[in-house]
Amino acid sequence: MSSDRGEQTEHGTPRNSEDSDHRIVVHLAEVLEQRGMTLTELSERIGVTLANLSILKTGKARAVRFTTLTAICEALDTTPAELFSYEPRDD
């Protein structure tokens, strides 16, 4: 069995063996761009650190609090469905 360390999903999110079952794709960068907002501005608006939002944006977050998700959705006038998608297994 080969390791998928270093592979990327079709959306460019890095994969490694630790999160091979994780197939949620984060679209925060695209939504921010559509809204003309920077990650720094979002951070200031919702009171979440830039570092934590960056981890979420790159798809490396292991969890997201509902309060954080709610704040992001309110600040960006969006829904969780627009921020995340599911990437089915290839096999």
Side-chain angles (χ1 to χ4, degrees), residues 6 13-14 18 22 26 31 36 38 43 48 51 57-59 82:
T13 305
E18 291 177 7
H22 165 58
V26 181
V31 175
T38 66
S43 171
V48 174
K57 185 178 107 173
T58 59
E82 198 173 353

Side-chain angles (χ1 to χ4, degrees), residues 11-64:
H11 302 286
T13 305
R15 276 195 192 156
N16 62 46
S17 59
E18 291 177 7
D19 60 17
S20 60
D21 287 335
H22 165 58
R23 295 182 313 277
I24 301 300
V25 180
V26 181
H27 304 287
L28 181 56
E30 294 87 345
V31 175
L32 282 167
E33 185 176 328
Q34 291 168 357
R35 304 302 190 271
M37 188 182 301
T38 66
L39 199 61
T40 301
E41 185 178 352
L42 179 62
S43 171
E44 291 168 355
R45 284 188 183 195
I46 68 173
V48 174
T49 67
L50 186 57
N52 284 340
L53 287 177
S54 180
I55 290 168
L56 177 61
K57 185 178 107 173
T58 59
K60 295 179 182 176
R62 299 187 58 95
V64 180

Side-chain angles (χ1 to χ4, degrees), residues 1-7 15-18:
M1 181 173 181
S2 67
S3 168
D4 60 350
R5 187 172 299 277
E7 276 186 39
R15 276 195 192 156
N16 62 46
S17 59
E18 291 177 7

Side-chain angles (χ1 to χ4, degrees), residues 77-88:
D77 190 29
T78 191
T79 65
E82 198 173 353
L83 291 171
F84 303 99
S85 64
Y86 169 72
E87 185 176 87

